[in-house]
Amino acid sequence: MTTELDPRLLSLLVCPLTKGPLTYDRETQELISPRAKLAFPICDGIPVMLADEARAIDA
C-alpha cells in the first residue's frame, strides 16, 4: 500500500545532514537526498528523518 505524501509537507522538509531539498519516491515510499546520497523511509505516512534510519543510495 502506498500513501501519498502531502506536497506542502515535502516543501517544508530538508535533508537533516545537507539542509538540501528532498525528492519523493512513491514506489519505495522514501524521501531522497541526492546530495547526501541517502533515502529516508516514510513509515505510516510519517517521514523518518534520522540519518541512522536512512539507507545509502548509489545515484
Side-chain angles (χ1 to χ4, degrees):
M1 180 179 159
T2 60
T3 304
E4 193 64 32
L5 187 68
D6 186 343
R8 293 176 294 172
L9 177 60
L10 183 57
S11 71
L12 296 174
L13 292 174
V14 295
C15 173
L17 301 176
T18 67
K19 308 301 185 235
L22 299 166
T23 58
Y24 175 49
D25 186 334
R26 285 185 185 97
E27 186 176 311
T28 62
Q29 289 293 293
E30 295 174 319
L31 293 174
I32 309 296
S33 173
R35 288 175 53 197
K37 296 184 180 175
L38 292 173
F40 296 93
I42 300 173
C43 298
D44 297 323
I46 300 169
V48 180
M49 304 302 295
L50 301 171
D52 293 342
E53 297 291 322
R55 71 174 178 88
I57 55 174
D58 293 331

